[in-house]
Amino acid sequence: MAQILTLEKLAEAVREKLVVPTEFMIINTRIILQTGVNLRRIRAEQNHDRVLLRKVHSALHKLGVSVEGELP
């Protein structure tokens, strides 16, 4: 199982899981509201932030979106 080390990699995994663009948009909106991270436009200073990575991963899990890969 691959490691997810950045928010960009996490966003890729979410896109693979939610193949319908509307589903991704809905989940992304909820993630923005809960964490302040926009998975469509990840800011450079956010991308490698491990705390944010875990926070977004946790929020996805609460929304019922599980992704393949391990967090550091």
Side-chain angles (χ1 to χ4, degrees):
M1 186 175 291
Q3 262 197 327
I4 297 175
L5 300 174
T6 64
L7 284 168
E8 287 177 348
K9 290 293 183 185
L10 183 59
E12 273 181 36
V14 173
R15 281 190 183 94
E16 289 175 10
K17 183 81 173 181
L18 305 173
V19 293
V20 178
T22 306
E23 289 178 338
F24 179 81
M25 296 291 282
I26 291 167
I27 292 297
N28 188 47
T29 300
R30 304 270 313 262
I31 294 300
I32 293 168
L33 294 171
Q34 291 180 31
T35 67
V37 174
N38 182 346
L39 293 175
R40 291 180 55 220
R41 292 185 192 99
I42 300 165
R43 295 192 316 253
E45 67 272 8
Q46 291 178 326
N47 193 36
H48 294 281
D49 186 323
R50 301 256 170 116
V51 173
L52 274 179
L53 181 63
R54 287 187 191 101
K55 189 174 181 181
V56 172
H57 187 266
S58 176
L60 286 166
H61 181 72
K62 289 176 186 173
L63 293 170
V65 179
S66 59
V67 293
E68 295 288 324
E70 297 176 7
L71 296 181

